[in-house]
Amino acid sequence: MKKSIACVLACLPLMACVTGTIVEPEICAPISLGTFPGSPIAISNPPPISYSINEDFSSTISKIKQVADGMAVSVSSLDLTSSSSLGFVSDLVVYVQPTDLSQPRALLASYQSTVATGDGGTMLGGDLAVTVEMDSETLLAYLSVPVVLTFSVVATEAPTTTTMLNANFCVAASASITKKL
Amino acid sequence: MKKWMLLAVGMVCISVPEMAMADPVRVGFSSDLGLPSGYAVGVVVHPGLDVFSVSGSLTYNALNFGGRLSLKFDPMALAPRLPFGIFLDAQGGFAAAGNVPGHSSDMPSLGYDYANLYGGFRFGRMNGFHWNIEVGPSYLVAQTGNFQSVIGNSGGLKVGNPSANLWITPTFETGFEVSW
């Protein structure tokens, strides 16, 4: 009897474990892209303009990986924003590529306007929600190293004034944790 | 083994005549130490039925204060003169968000809610002073704060505060309880 109790008590520390999930609700990169040139006279189909920005999510992701495993990331929001109207934007494509060129440039997200040409000009202020095209696993592989984000903006008609463009790129991460002592 | 069984049966026989059909309401206090609750002091009430007790405690886990409610089922309290017992204890509590002292700017704050489902041993009579040892699993929902300070200046990134849902097995609690 005594031996059984002693055995159970001795085994308790061996069974000690922690299991669960850790959630990082958002890691956000506020991005200032630059300006889209305006034109006082109507110009149809101006050339697309690309903006490239370096971002580094890797240090934050590695910190989560240190305490957890089975990590997954997702884009919680990716928006093109401006204090002016973004009605002139007909297409937006966002690419991602590691700065060390270890992987090829890949499509991260895209946006295509459904507003008829000219109608979007009535929009006051702008916030275009972009559709994410990359799966979680690939996204994690890319964001585990510093990357270059390239925003390619296509307009069907140039805006009448120069427009300041910003973007907000937010990533959410979740990871499982299993630690046995 | 037989000796133990005979002893147990003998003690139950001695105690049975004292079993109360309707017990008085008993009130007492408790003090214990454990994980994840920390140090706790509380009030215990046996609501007219000794096999059940309810307690509310003020807790402190070195980061901040919290609270804990406990509902205990002690079937061996039916034999009040038995100097030992086993019981089940369901607990729910919280620890308010707090920082490691002296590290409020460079470490995240931590607060959590938890539920414990314990089995325990009681040493001493239920309606007097007794010492409890409880062990079991805990489910913990933790929320950090000020996490940006841990990451530091990470290239202009804004980092939200992580949360965690965890099962921790085993956790424990030990301390005394006195009731009259």
Side-chain angles (χ1 to χ4, degrees):
Chain A
M1 186 70 172
K2 281 183 181 175
K3 280 184 180 176
S4 302
I5 293 172
C7 184
V8 168
L9 291 175
C11 285
L12 277 176
L14 299 176
M15 293 187 294
C17 70
V18 177
T19 60
T21 54
I22 295 176
V23 175
E24 170 53 67
E26 60 178 19
I27 309 163
C28 287
I31 301 167
S32 178
L33 292 174
T35 56
F36 194 96
S39 170
I41 55 167
I43 297 177
S44 293
N45 301 317
I49 296 182
S50 291
Y51 308 87
S52 292
I53 302 291
N54 287 352
E55 285 298 342
D56 186 4
F57 290 82
S58 62
S59 60
T60 307
I61 287 174
S62 70
K63 280 190 169 70
I64 298 172
K65 278 182 174 174
Q66 283 171 9
V67 295
D69 35 46
M71 188 173 175
V73 294
S74 61
V75 177
S76 55
S77 70
L78 178 51
D79 303 311
L80 184 69
T81 63
S82 175
S83 55
S84 307
S85 169
L86 287 175
F88 66 90
V89 178
S90 62
D91 290 278
L92 171 67
V93 182
V94 185
Y95 296 101
V96 59
Q97 185 171 30
T99 52
D100 61 5
L101 306 179
S102 58
Q103 296 187 76
R105 191 169 85 154
L107 177 63
L108 174 62
S110 66
Y111 165 83
Q112 189 164 33
S113 172
T114 55
V115 180
T117 305
D119 291 352
T122 59
M123 289 170 68
L124 294 175
D127 188 349
L128 303 183
V130 181
T131 305
V132 178
E133 309 280 359
M134 185 174 273
D135 65 84
S136 172
E137 198 173 320
T138 311
L139 183 65
L140 178 60
Y142 273 82
L143 296 185
S144 294
V145 294
V147 292
V148 179
L149 294 173
T150 302
F151 291 74
S152 182
V153 180
V154 179
T156 49
E157 198 170 284
T160 52
T161 57
T162 298
T163 304
M164 186 70 194
L165 296 178
N166 299 303
N168 195 38
F169 181 33
C170 291
V171 174
S174 65
S176 59
I177 180 169
T178 303
K179 302 283 181 194
K180 289 185 180 176
L181 307 175
Chain B
M1 188 68 176
K2 279 184 179 175
K3 282 181 188 174
W4 281 101
M5 289 178 71
L6 285 172
L7 184 63
V9 169
M11 295 189 84
V12 169
C13 289
I14 293 168
S15 304
V16 163
E18 293 200 8
M19 285 184 185
M21 295 304 287
D23 301 313
V25 174
R26 299 180 199 277
V27 179
F29 67 94
S30 64
S31 175
D32 58 70
L33 188 67
L35 283 174
S37 54
Y39 176 65
V41 287
V43 175
V44 185
V45 177
H46 293 266
L49 202 59
D50 280 350
V51 293
F52 290 105
S53 66
V54 180
S55 67
S57 301
L58 175 71
T59 62
Y60 182 70
N61 66 354
L63 302 180
N64 208 339
F65 289 94
R68 189 186 70 201
L69 280 175
S70 163
L71 176 62
K72 193 181 291 182
F73 174 62
D74 184 347
M76 292 174 79
L78 287 170
R81 294 189 66 180
L82 273 182
F84 57 85
I86 55 172
F87 60 84
L88 291 174
D89 190 3
Q91 301 181 343
F94 73 96
N99 287 96
V100 175
H103 292 275
S104 59
S105 60
D106 59 353
M107 288 184 76
S109 64
L110 175 68
Y112 51 84
D113 301 326
Y114 58 90
N116 304 326
L117 187 58
Y118 286 153
F121 296 96
R122 166 171 55 83
F123 300 97
R125 290 183 182 177
M126 187 284 308
N127 54 3
F129 177 90
H130 55 267
W131 194 275
N132 295 329
I133 297 176
E134 307 179 46
V135 179
S138 292
Y139 182 70
L140 196 132
V141 179
Q143 179 68 52
T144 63
N146 195 28
F147 197 70
Q148 185 86 45
S149 63
V150 177
I151 299 295
N153 183 14
S154 50
L157 293 182
K158 292 179 180 173
V159 183
N161 294 317
S163 60
N165 295 355
L166 302 171
W167 277 102
I168 305 173
T169 310
T171 59
F172 76 97
E173 191 178 295
T174 184
F176 70 85
E177 190 177 306
V178 185
S179 58
W180 296 274

